[in-house]
């Protein structure tokens, strides 16, 4: 069975590969038919096609922490 991989791109979107369902805040499922992998989800908050990335991060100079942080305790 194929598994889902989510990768935070350097100062860019989350790139998602594998079988995934995207659901909005109201519980409605986005139609992903015809959408090619990887799916890019916005991380900067500036996309006009949220939750999907439209490339705005590169125009607004978005900077993000990409490294996984381990919590201890």
């Amino acid at each position: 069975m194929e598994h889902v991989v989510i990768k935070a791109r350097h100062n860019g979107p989350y790139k998602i590969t594998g079988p995934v369902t995207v659901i909005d805040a109201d519980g409605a499922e986005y139609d992903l038919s015809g959408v090619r992998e990887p799916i890019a989800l916005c991380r900067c908050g500036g996309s006009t096609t949220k939750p999907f990335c439209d490339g705005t991060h590169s125009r607004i100079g978005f900077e993000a922490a990409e490294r996984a942080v381990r919590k201890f305790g």
Side-chain angles (χ1 to χ4, degrees):
M1 182 172 170
E2 193 177 359
H3 66 279
V4 175
V5 175
I6 302 171
K7 181 178 182 181
R9 299 291 305 251
H10 181 71
N11 295 329
Y14 290 113
K15 294 282 187 154
I16 302 171
T17 56
V20 64
T21 301
V22 180
I23 299 174
D24 72 12
D26 296 323
E29 185 175 328
Y30 285 92
D31 179 9
L32 299 179
S33 61
V35 176
R36 295 185 334 204
E37 284 190 24
I39 294 170
L41 295 181
C42 177
R43 217 164 40 127
C44 75
S47 176
T48 59
T49 60
K50 290 183 195 85
F52 305 101
C53 175
D54 68 357
T56 296
H57 60 276
S58 60
R59 292 189 300 278
I60 65 173
F62 175 69
E63 293 184 19
E66 292 84 18
R67 308 302 180 256
V69 178
R70 298 188 189 276
K71 288 185 128 182
F72 296 96

